Structures are given as C-alpha cells and as structure tokens.
Amino acid sequence: MEGRDKSRQFSMYVTRARREYGISMRQLCEGLCTSQELSLLESGKRLSNKLLQDAIVERLGIGAEDYELFLGAAEYRRWEERQRILHCITWEETERAEKLLEEYHTGCGKGTAAIGKRPERQFYLSMLALIRRRGGASREELGLLFEEAVRLTVPALEHKPLSRLTLSIKELNLILEAEQYRREGARLSRYGEVLTYIEGAALDGRGLAKIYPKAVFFLCRERLATAGGEPPSLPEMTELLRLCNRAVDILCNNFRMYFLWELLDMRGRLLEQMTGCHLRRGKQKQAEALRTALRENAEMKTVLERLYAEFQVPRETFEYCYLYVMHGVSCMNDVIRIRRQMLGITPGALCDGICDVKTLRRLERRETMPQRAIVERLFLRLGLSGEFTRTELVTDDPEARRLMENLRKQINGQQWDAAEDILHLLKTRVSMDIPGNRQALLRRAVLLHWKKGELENDSYCGLMREILEITLPFEAVLKAGEKYLTYAEQTCVLSMMQGMDRAGKEFRICMERFEDMYRSVFDNGLLEAFAGLYELIMNFVASEWGNMGEYDRSDQYSVIIASGCLRFRRLGALTDSLYNRCWNHAQRRRKGIPIGSPLNEKQELHACMVLSRMNNHKKDELFFKKEAAQSDRDD
C-alpha cells in the first residue's frame, strides 16, 4: 500500500483558490493572522490552529462538509471540547453548555491581544451569546456580545463597505446577529448589503444554504416590521417573495432546513397579502395562481410543524452551531494505532525505515506528535493519504472540486449519462496515481455501470471489493475490533453491500461492523460531526434490519436519524428514516405483532411525499403517492 503521495494538495488548493478569486494575502488574513502565517499555511510548512485555518478557507468560500480532518492529540482534544459545547447548545442543554464553555475559555487563556487567539475568543463570545439568549438576556447585552465578536476579526466593519472586505460565513452570520441587536435599531440597508455580498461571493451550494436564507429572512422581517402598520407595495412584496422563493430553493436543493420554517411562514404571509391585492384589483387569474402557491406552501409548513412537534424540536432555527461543526475529524494518533491493529502490522514493521518503535508507542498513547513527514509516511504505509485536510479527492484544482460536487448531484438525481460525462472529465483533471483518487472515481464508474444494468451483482461486488482493496483488505473490515475507515472506504463497503446476497454471512457481519463503528459516535455526542455519513450508512442498515424482521432494531436507527435531521436542520435523509419507520409499523400491523406507539401511516406517507417534492425527487414522490393509494386499498 505504501507509495508516493501528494500530501500538500490542500495547501496548494488554498493558494490557487485565492489567486482565482483575485484575493490578496493582505485581504485574506486581515483581522485573522499575519501574512507570514498565511504564507506558512499555503506552503504546507505549518499546520495552523484549526479555527484559524477554517476562518481562512471560509473566506475563500470553501465550506465543504465532506472534509476528513486529521488532528494531533492536543488539537483533537480542543475540537472535542468545542464539539461538546455545540452539542449541548443544539440539544438545549443550556446549563451544561455554559459550564463547558467556561472550562474551554479558561483552557484557552482569557487574553485577547494575541492575533492568533482571535478565532478562539470569537468562538467563545459567539457561543456565550447563544447561551445567554436562551437564558433571556437583554437586547443590550446580546448586542455588546455580538459586536465584540464581529470586531475581533472584522475591525474595519464600520469603516469600509462590505464589498471591500473578505468575509467568512461565520463573520457574515455575526454581522447579521449584531445588526438585529444594534442599539439604534437594525438597518434595512445593512441586511441588503449582506445579501448583496453573499450573492457575489464564491460560495459552494452548502455554504450558500448556511447563510443566504438567514439573510433573506432577516431582511424580509425588518422590511415588514418597518412598514408602519401598512403592508409594502405590491412590487415590494413581489421582490420579497422572489427572495423567499430563492432562499427556499437553495435550502431544498442542498437538503438543508436552516430558517426553512420561518421562510415558509414569511412566504405564506406575503402570498396572502398579494392575493388580497390582486383580488381588490379584480385580477382573478393572478390571485388563483397565488392561492395554489399558498396551498403548497401551507402543506410544507404543516408537515414540518407536525414533525418538529412530534420529535420535540423547536421549529424556529434558534442556534447556528452548524456553522462551527467541523465534520469528519479524527485524531492522527488514534488513527495510526487503530489502523495498525486492523491490518495486523507489528510496531516494528510499521516503523521500519520511518521512526523508532519507542516513538510509535508514545504516538499511539497520545503522548507526542512527531514531525509531519513521519506521520505522512506512517499514514501511507497504512493505506491512508498523507494529506491531513482533504475531501474525497486529493487535488489542488478548484474546478475538480466543483465537478465532484456536481457529480454527486447528478448521481443523486439518477442522471447517469450526465454523471458519466463528468466522471470522464474528472479523470483528466486529477492524479489517478493517488490511491484515494483512484478509489473514489473507480467506485463511481462501477456504480454507474451497475445502475444502468450493465453489471450483474456478483461482478459488481467483485469489482467493488477490488476498489476497496486499493487501500484496505476486505478481511480487515470483517474482523471484529476497533475500526478506522476513510469516507471512501466506508462508501465502498456500503456499495458492495447493495449488491450482496442479503442472506449471506458477510452481509450481516458488515451490518454489525457499521453498528459498532457508529455506536461510539452517537454515545459520545459526536453525531453532528458525522451526520452525513451516519445518515447514508445507518439509513441503509435500518432498512435492511427491517427487511430481516428486526423492526425494533430498525426503528432505533430511524428515530435517531429523523430526530437528528430535524435538530441539525438537514433535509436529505429525513424522508427515508420516516418511511423506514412507517414500513416497519405496517409490517407489524399486517403480521399481528403488538404495536407500542401507533403511527398514522397515511399521514406518514403524505409527509414523505411532501418532503420528496421539496427535495425535487419526483420518482420518490410518485412512489409514496402509490404507497398511500395502496394503504387506502388495504383499509
């Protein structure tokens, strides 16, 4: 498995993205760090503090959620501390969140003068404001907290127009929050300025979903509040409706629900007022078109309200912890220890020609963090990339990353021919000599051939196993014990399982190994940081346990996923988790198995149909419509 790897691709990617967007080093690091520190990051000579690195890449519009991040033990402990704070706020455990935040703040040191501490201080103030808001703090107190948080990294906020600044999503969020608590009152012009900045920023789809809907909601809310009791004019309402429509579309296209309920509520009010305007003017045709949109809007809003109430989640987006969650984080020290044991490699064999055994022992006990070059070589010998901050593809090409995002969309939309075209193009833009790249793209190619009916299940599984074994023997997956698999390896195993004999021993073992891997994620309150992969894999596991008649086991995962989707404002996996639960309920009813908590199956299928429509999954919407019709016939 050991071989030459390009382990500075992320650093080079930052440089290329900065130059592509015409951002100078001075602009990028203003308020965050010195130009020298940014230069060291871009050259790959230094691993920055993660909060600082995230702030830098976010200012470039890089906010992908499919990153795998490998941190040294000390930095990983800080990440765990932040994650526990975020988890407690998200789950409304306010008192515990406040206690953990103060412990974190003490550990950081309370000085704020050093420029490198600014992202830490900003995180602290940002979380403190959320906690105090839940505790009923005054507008003045919240305004002071948010204002200080913004000025830490955006000192020129009131001296320059936003168009002349380079801002991250977190900074834009804090600007919005500070504005709504401004002592003199919020400025509609400021909300408009933020919205204009976002529209001109080079944000990816998920990044846009995290901030654009909030900016639209704040602007619409302020505009309606400043109307002096009189509704805005019809042209003004038409423009506000356009913004709401675009914000909802951005959320649904990216499977997110940040401020979705608020936007649906706002859109409903606008549609009602505009319908009344048209009726007063005798424009029946326009009024009827708006009534149709109003009914569809009300249907979506009602479904969300019912689900939020059932799972006891606030329907309002009451926090923004999703902006601070670092996804896919692992401790380098633990990864080396776990991977070595998985592969059955002795300490001496792993260290040979790299470092001494004593160094490895200390590393695996989290007692040291050796030079980057040593860790890179250990990673390569363990079948891992030497890139410590990476997405599925190891590349410095911004266009390749955009193509990969588009490839996922085409596959999710079952647009096989378009997906194949993108795949061919990607193979010309990234190095196929890098094992991880070869694994990621070959898996997609084989999957496409199988989906198009060009491969039998046995051949498909055999090819997927070969692709997995570019970096990891399948036998290491089946073996009991602690596991570390990359995102690509996990999806390879999942792809294999989709073509396996469900009655086979290997299939059941894979199910159990995934359960073992993700049990600790849930138990340790880290679900937010692994939500995407957890939803993908455990929805499949839940469905298959249901097919095997283990309905309670299946429901356990479906409820975790549905609750998590609502809590974290994620839309994509919600439909499948609700359908799994509904299907299990129907099977119990048909087989005469006692039912603990009855479900209204028609209502559940209707919710699945509406959510599929929101996700633009027309085939799924049709499927649930047929299921609902079958349920009526069964009655």
Side-chain angles (χ1 to χ4, degrees):
M1 294 179 190
E2 187 173 8
R4 185 172 180 81
D5 195 4
K6 297 179 180 178
S7 58
R8 298 290 190 277
Q9 297 290 299
F10 180 77
S11 300
M12 291 187 287
Y13 173 63
V14 170
T15 305
R16 286 188 62 172
R18 178 175 63 77
R19 291 172 179 169
E20 179 180 314
Y21 302 139
I23 299 173
S24 70
M25 292 186 76
R26 183 187 59 78
Q27 287 175 300
L28 186 57
C29 65
E30 184 179 7
L32 284 175
C33 62
T34 64
S35 296
Q36 183 182 19
E37 286 175 300
L38 178 58
S39 179
L40 288 170
L41 170 67
E42 290 191 358
S43 66
K45 293 178 180 178
R46 178 180 296 176
L47 291 174
S48 300
N49 170 286
K50 284 308 297 176
L51 283 177
L52 176 58
Q53 179 174 300
D54 279 4
I56 289 169
V57 298
E58 272 194 19
R59 284 186 171 187
L60 292 169
I62 304 166
E65 294 184 1
D66 59 345
Y67 278 133
E68 290 176 86
L69 309 174
F70 299 96
L71 307 179
E75 187 75 39
Y76 183 78
R77 279 191 290 270
R78 301 297 288 160
W79 171 79
E80 283 186 308
E81 291 169 2
R82 289 193 295 271
Q83 183 57 46
R84 290 191 190 100
I85 294 163
L86 296 168
H87 177 82
C88 289
I89 294 173
T90 303
W91 291 90
E92 301 173 84
E93 299 172 10
T94 308
E95 289 184 10
R96 183 162 181 258
E98 188 164 18
K99 180 176 180 294
L100 291 173
L101 183 62
E102 287 308 313
E103 291 173 357
Y104 177 83
H105 187 36
T106 301
C108 286
K110 296 187 178 180
T112 60
I115 197 166
K117 290 186 178 180
R118 289 182 187 180
E120 296 276 6
R121 174 73 176 169
Q122 191 174 70
F123 172 80
Y124 167 75
L125 291 169
S126 185
M127 294 303 107
L128 184 61
L130 283 178
I131 291 168
R132 294 282 170 83
R133 183 157 66 190
R134 294 291 291 177
S138 67
R139 285 180 53 84
E140 183 179 4
E141 180 184 358
L142 293 173
L144 290 172
L145 286 171
F146 282 120
E147 184 179 349
E148 183 185 348
V150 172
R151 291 188 184 283
L152 279 166
T153 60
V154 195
L157 180 61
E158 295 298 335
H159 309 295
K160 293 181 182 180
L162 294 192
S163 59
R164 292 180 56 196
L165 299 174
T166 304
L167 301 166
S168 70
I169 294 173
K170 294 186 187 76
E171 289 164 334
L172 289 166
N173 172 70
L174 290 173
I175 290 169
L176 290 172
E177 293 286 358
E179 191 65 28
Q180 73 166 329
Y181 295 111
R182 187 170 173 267
R183 188 180 297 107
E184 299 83 2
R187 295 163 292 185
L188 192 64
S189 60
R190 174 65 85 189
Y191 291 142
E193 193 180 7
V194 171
L195 202 56
T196 300
Y197 182 95
I198 295 167
E199 288 172 336
L203 293 173
D204 59 24
R206 295 284 163 80
L208 199 59
K210 287 178 179 178
I211 193 64
Y212 184 86
K214 181 171 184 172
V216 167
F217 173 66
F218 276 35
L219 183 145
C220 290
R221 181 183 63 183
E222 185 63 23
R223 176 63 190 90
L224 294 180
T226 55
E230 292 294 323
S233 66
L234 185 58
E236 286 180 303
M237 286 191 287
T238 301
E239 174 59 15
L240 294 179
L241 180 62
R242 183 190 70 80
L243 292 173
C244 284
N245 286 341
R246 185 174 181 223
V248 171
D249 286 344
I250 286 170
L251 287 170
C252 292
N253 290 339
N254 289 282
F255 312 115
R256 293 296 181 269
M257 296 190 289
Y258 314 126
F259 290 89
L260 179 56
W261 179 84
E262 291 92 331
L263 286 164
L264 293 175
D265 181 67
M266 180 71 68
R267 188 163 72 172
R269 285 192 280 152
L270 289 168
L271 286 167
E272 283 181 351
Q273 292 180 23
M274 292 172 69
T275 300
C277 273
H278 284 304
L279 286 174
R280 286 191 295 273
R281 298 179 182 188
K283 296 183 177 180
Q284 297 291 335
K285 187 175 180 181
Q286 290 90 331
E288 188 53 42
L290 291 175
R291 279 200 186 106
T292 300
L294 186 57
R295 285 193 295 270
E296 292 176 354
N297 189 79
E299 190 175 39
M300 290 188 281
K301 185 183 169 194
T302 300
V303 165
L304 288 181
E305 287 174 342
R306 183 182 69 78
L307 291 172
Y308 282 131
E310 179 188 348
F311 287 90
Q312 298 181 320
V313 176
R315 61 192 185 184
E316 296 87 358
T317 306
F318 67 94
E319 45 81 16
Y320 45 75
C321 293
Y322 51 86
L323 297 177
Y324 290 86
V325 172
M326 294 183 192
H327 295 267
V329 176
S330 300
C331 177
M332 294 177 187
N333 308 61
D334 294 347
V335 167
I336 290 170
R337 171 181 56 80
I338 294 167
R339 192 78 166 195
R340 179 181 65 76
Q341 293 171 351
M342 278 179 64
L343 297 173
I345 302 174
T346 65
L350 180 59
C351 292
D352 187 29
I354 299 176
C355 63
D356 59 40
V357 173
K358 183 179 178 181
T359 298
L360 178 64
R361 295 290 193 198
R362 293 184 62 219
L363 187 153
E364 291 187 348
R365 291 195 299 265
R366 293 194 180 186
E367 294 174 357
T368 187
M369 192 66 235
Q371 294 178 357
R372 174 173 180 148
I374 290 175
V375 179
E376 285 175 3
R377 294 177 69 189
L378 292 173
F379 265 41
L380 292 172
R381 192 163 284 180
L382 293 167
L384 302 168
S385 168
E387 184 68 70
F388 297 152
T389 302
R390 52 161 294 177
T391 52
E392 194 173 8
L393 291 180
V394 178
T395 178
D396 65 344
D397 183 0
E399 179 60 23
R401 293 178 189 263
R402 288 190 284 268
L403 285 169
M404 196 65 180
E405 184 179 355
N406 193 17
L407 176 62
R408 294 188 192 101
K409 287 181 180 178
Q410 299 302 330
I411 291 176
N412 289 336
Q414 301 180 14
Q415 303 298 313
W416 311 130
D417 291 339
E420 278 195 313
D421 290 342
I422 296 170
L423 193 58
H424 288 313
L425 184 56
L426 271 169
K427 288 178 181 178
T428 67
R429 297 193 73 104
V430 303
S431 172
M432 295 296 281
D433 293 333
I434 297 175
N437 289 352
R438 198 158 66 250
Q439 192 173 59
L441 297 184
L442 288 178
R443 183 181 75 83
R444 290 324 197 296
V446 170
L447 181 66
L448 286 172
H449 286 304
W450 184 59
K451 291 289 187 181
K452 291 171 71 174
E454 297 169 359
L455 285 173
E456 297 294 331
N457 283 357
D458 286 348
S459 299
Y460 167 76
C461 287
L463 288 170
M464 278 296 176
R465 178 167 180 162
E466 290 177 14
I467 294 166
L468 169 69
E469 293 188 340
I470 291 172
T471 59
L472 181 70
F474 183 47
E475 291 303 320
V477 176
L478 298 176
K479 188 170 64 174
E482 205 172 0
K483 295 274 186 298
Y484 174 77
L485 276 69
T486 65
Y487 280 14
E489 290 165 351
Q490 290 183 56
T491 50
C492 276
V493 175
L494 181 64
S495 296
M496 284 177 65
M497 292 174 70
Q498 290 168 344
M500 280 183 183
D501 177 6
R502 280 7 183 210
K505 182 179 178 182
E506 286 185 346
F507 182 83
R508 192 177 185 99
I509 291 173
C510 287
M511 296 263 286
E512 292 170 351
R513 295 296 174 262
F514 275 133
E515 285 182 311
D516 293 341
M517 281 178 59
Y518 281 104
R519 188 173 294 114
S520 63
V521 167
F522 179 76
D523 291 345
N524 292 328
L526 300 177
L527 191 56
E528 296 95 317
F530 295 91
L533 211 53
Y534 186 94
E535 292 163 1
L536 175 68
I537 290 171
M538 298 312 292
N539 248 335
F540 176 80
V541 169
S543 177
E544 292 304 324
W545 283 131
N547 290 337
M548 295 177 188
E550 297 201 29
Y551 305 124
D552 291 346
R553 194 170 182 176
S554 174
D555 279 349
Q556 175 189 351
Y557 296 117
S558 295
V559 169
I560 288 172
I561 292 168
S563 178
C565 283
L566 293 166
R567 182 71 60 175
F568 312 146
R569 314 288 164 175
R570 296 171 63 87
L571 186 58
L574 182 57
T575 309
D576 286 343
S577 60
L578 293 175
Y579 179 66
N580 283 343
R581 188 179 64 155
C582 182
W583 190 89
N584 291 338
H585 185 274
Q587 294 304 307
R588 291 189 187 98
R589 176 174 53 78
R590 290 167 186 160
K591 295 177 181 180
I593 298 172
I595 296 171
S597 301
L599 281 179
N600 184 327
E601 292 172 24
K602 291 180 183 178
Q603 189 179 56
E604 293 296 300
L605 289 169
H606 176 73
C608 291
M609 187 171 65
V610 172
L611 292 170
S612 296
R613 188 185 308 143
M614 291 167 67
N615 282 332
N616 296 314
H617 289 167
K618 296 188 183 301
K619 290 182 180 178
D620 290 347
E621 183 184 352
L622 181 61
F623 169 79
F624 292 123
K625 192 172 183 178
K626 289 179 179 177
E627 286 285 291
Q630 182 61 50
S631 179
D632 286 338
R633 287 192 291 273
D634 288 347
D635 290 346

